[in-house]
Amino acid sequence: MAEVVALVDYGAGNLHSVHNALKAAGAAVTVTADPYVVRAADRIVLPGVGAFRACAEGLRAIPGMVDAMTERVQVGGAPFLGICVGMQLLADCGLEFGTHPGLGWIAGEVRLIAPADASIKVPHMGWNDVALMPHAKHHPVIEEGAAYFLHSYHFAAAHPGDVAAMTDHGEGLVAAVARDNIIGVQFHPEKSQAYGLATLRRFLEWYP
């Protein structure tokens, strides 16, 4: 029987595009706001578009959803992929419109991109390189290439070992984080054409 990939619907994700990209990569996708479905899923994908505060509040507004995700991912070991703000929510907190708690699965905080060079535009928007960190050169999901980014805030990880890849936009910005069965990507695989689809396929084939 095909694995069930739960795509979490909490009112803050680019669900249609992510759903189509996962299907194109070969996934059997269930778009869901039901924590019982998430608790039983084989894999979990958390998308996210917009402000950290709104996304964090939207996720917590679904009764039992954070507990279900934590149980399935942190305790049950299900492979997890966070996309854009879905990746940022892995942090301890976000500093957009005040300080707001994240999931706290990967230590760090989400800060405004503030390049020293005033000619560097924010948001970071468009295609950019994804460069693997030396310790992540053989990561089974994240590979080097070019991906599509769109964000004004970035994940400042507390521990360098949690950073799988970087990109450059006037300064080094985290492009991907990874620990055990958890992956987060700042770029949008659903908008990154062949590179993005290949990333999703590797996630679907990954057994950490």
Side-chain angles (χ1 to χ4, degrees):
M1 187 171 65
E3 288 190 337
V4 173
V5 178
L7 178 60
V8 181
D9 179 4
Y10 61 110
N14 190 11
L15 283 172
H16 182 70
S17 296
V18 176
H19 177 255
N20 286 345
L22 284 165
K23 284 182 65 179
V29 189
T30 299
V31 179
T32 185
D34 186 340
Y36 292 99
V37 173
V38 169
R39 191 173 273 111
D42 297 293
R43 297 171 188 271
I44 298 170
V45 177
L46 184 69
V49 174
F52 184 101
R53 174 182 176 178
C55 290
E57 290 178 350
L59 188 62
R60 288 192 167 90
I62 302 174
M65 181 58 79
V66 171
D67 288 343
M69 288 171 48
T70 301
E71 179 181 318
R72 188 69 191 98
V73 177
Q74 296 281 74
V75 180
F80 174 93
L81 174 64
I83 297 172
C84 195
V85 182
M87 171 259 220
Q88 295 180 357
L89 288 172
L90 294 169
D92 295 314
C93 65
L95 306 182
E96 189 171 6
F97 303 118
T99 301
H100 306 282
L103 293 169
W105 292 1
I106 293 184
E109 61 184 25
V110 177
R111 306 170 183 165
L112 179 67
I113 299 171
D117 184 347
S119 69
I120 302 296
K121 303 298 183 185
V122 177
H124 173 213
M125 180 171 62
W127 291 85
N128 208 340
D129 291 336
V130 176
L132 288 172
M133 299 295 286
H135 63 265
K137 284 295 184 183
H138 301 291
H139 195 277
V141 178
I142 307 300
E143 292 190 356
E144 295 193 328
Y148 186 86
F149 292 81
L150 177 55
H151 61 118
S152 297
Y153 284 72
H154 69 106
F155 194 130
H159 306 298
D162 291 332
V163 178
M166 298 287 290
T167 192
D168 184 80
H169 186 66
E171 60 178 317
L173 302 176
V174 171
V177 293
R179 179 194 293 167
D180 301 327
N181 57 312
I182 298 169
I183 296 174
V185 295
Q186 183 62 68
F187 57 86
H188 286 273
E190 76 279 9
K191 296 181 179 179
S192 298
Q193 300 179 5
Y195 174 82
L197 281 179
T199 301
L200 294 177
R201 288 192 190 101
R202 288 190 295 271
F203 171 71
L204 295 172
E205 296 168 354
W206 179 47
Y207 291 92

